[in-house]
Every structure is written in C-alpha cells, then in structure tokens.
Amino acid sequence: MTTFALVPGAGGAAWYWHRVLPLLEQEGHEAVAVDLPGDDPDAGLPEYAGLVVDAVAGRHDVVVVAQSMGGFTAPMVAARRPVSAIVLLNAMVPLPGETAGHWWGAVGSEEVRLAAARAGGYTEEVDLDTYFLHDVDPAVAATGEAHQRPEVDRAFETPCDISAWPEVPTRAVAGADDRFFPVALQRRVARERLGLGLDVVPGGHLAALSHPAELTAYLCKALPPSAAVRDEQPT
C-alpha cells in the first residue's frame, strides 16, 4: 500500500487536499494531508520538512505530492528519509540552496504570467478569484475561507537545504488552466532544472479542489514510482 504525503502550498492548509484524500483511500492507498504553520514567524522550510517526515513516520512506500510552494519542502523530505517518488503539482522547483523568495525572478515567472494574462484576456493584477478560484466550485471555495492564512516571510527566506535533487523518481504535472504558474513556465522550469517532461491534468492552480477525480486518477496512474516520466499532450 502506498502512502501519499500531501504537501500544501503557501499558507500550509491541509484542507486543500480534502477532496483528493478520500479518493486515494477509496483506491486502496493511505493518504496523509500535512498541515503546515504558514503563519508562524518561527517556522521555515526545515520545520515544514520535519512535520512531513513526522507525519509519515513508520511508512515504507511514501510518495510525496507537493503543491505550489510545497515544491521547496518535498526534496528536503526526501533528503531526510526514504521516499518512493516525488510528484510536483503546479510546483515551484528549487535549486539547491535557493530560497522561495529568489525563485520568482530566477525563473522569470512574472513575465510568463503577464504574457498569459494578456493572451487570455483576464486581469494582470493577481487576485484570488481570477488566478486561484476561477475553476473551483463556489461552494467548495466558500468552505475554505475558514482555513485561509497568510504565508509569513520566514519560509520564503530559508534556503532549500539540499546538495542536489534527490535520486528518486520525480514527476512534474501542471493544471492545464493554471493562470498563476502557466503551463509554458512549468514546462520550461521542469526541463531546465530537472530534465523532466511535463504531464498535464485538467484544472487551474488549485487542481486538487477543482478536479479531484482527475488528479487522483493521475496520481494512481503514476504508480509504480519507477514508471517513466514522459511529456503528456501539451495544451
């Protein structure tokens, strides 16, 4: 039985995974959604990685699934304990020693986001509805209001403490309609930083909320972890 360690992005709310977790369990797997203290000024990436490691203590077949900023935590988890695979979902892919605060400029994310906004005809100013909730059922989004919290500066300032990307099977997957990290950006970063192709699933930046069934099917299809990484149909 595989244990999926589900790591959220900025803010750290385990709630983000609440629609995927039961679907993975229905498929016969174990799933652990890790709540991270995004609003704790004393907690950074080392603390985040420690919480994930503690959450899956005693499990032997662990797949770390990291959303967005969770991409900085995932390789640090793999550096601390054995994992079977890493899945990067609409994720920031760090270089060794890089900070999340430095990543934006290093990969040119703003230029790609703005170009996509102009091409798509939506606002260039980042707001919650346009960039994160545009494909999420309003009823689902409303239940998340109680779980929202800010991500304080510390996690953006602490480096990704790895010497190299962990030698474990890694897959990069993007939501086809991600407006915050457009597919073109994610494809380039995955290729340049990890030498990987990019898989594409339905949904935007919060694909686990908008298309949980499709994402769950992808995660299950990605097993066994030794399956080859390939570039799926581009959008």
Side-chain angles (χ1 to χ4, degrees), residues 25-188:
E25 292 178 340
Q26 288 175 21
E27 294 297 322
H29 303 295
E30 183 178 17
V32 179
V34 185
D35 205 54
L36 301 177
D39 55 353
D40 183 348
D42 296 321
L45 296 181
E47 289 76 20
Y48 290 6
L51 287 169
V52 178
V53 169
D54 290 346
V56 294
R59 278 78 164 188
H60 300 291
D61 183 12
V62 174
V63 173
V64 180
V65 185
Q67 152 73 13
S68 195
M69 188 180 171
F72 270 75
T73 299
M76 292 178 60
V77 173
R80 294 187 181 195
R81 59 146 295 152
V83 304
S84 298
I86 295 171
V87 179
L88 299 167
L89 171 62
N90 293 328
M92 301 167 76
V93 181
L95 296 175
E98 189 173 42
T99 66
H102 180 263
W103 180 91
W104 309 87
V107 301
S109 66
E110 274 296 277
E111 293 89 337
V112 181
R113 182 186 67 79
L114 292 172
R118 290 190 288 267
Y122 50 87
T123 179
E124 297 179 16
E125 183 177 351
V126 175
D127 66 70
L128 188 63
D129 289 336
T130 301
Y131 281 87
F132 299 98
L133 300 178
H134 60 97
D135 67 331
V136 177
D137 184 326
V140 173
T143 67
E145 292 180 3
H147 302 272
Q148 292 177 15
R149 55 180 179 250
E151 183 70 51
V152 297
D153 291 340
R154 181 167 172 77
F156 289 101
E157 297 168 347
T158 51
C160 183
D161 188 16
I162 57 173
S163 58
W165 193 265
E167 293 186 6
V168 299
T170 301
R171 300 178 74 109
V173 56
D177 299 316
D178 191 341
R179 294 176 175 179
F180 194 54
F181 294 159
V183 168
L185 171 69
Q186 295 194 53
R187 177 171 285 114
R188 173 171 55 79

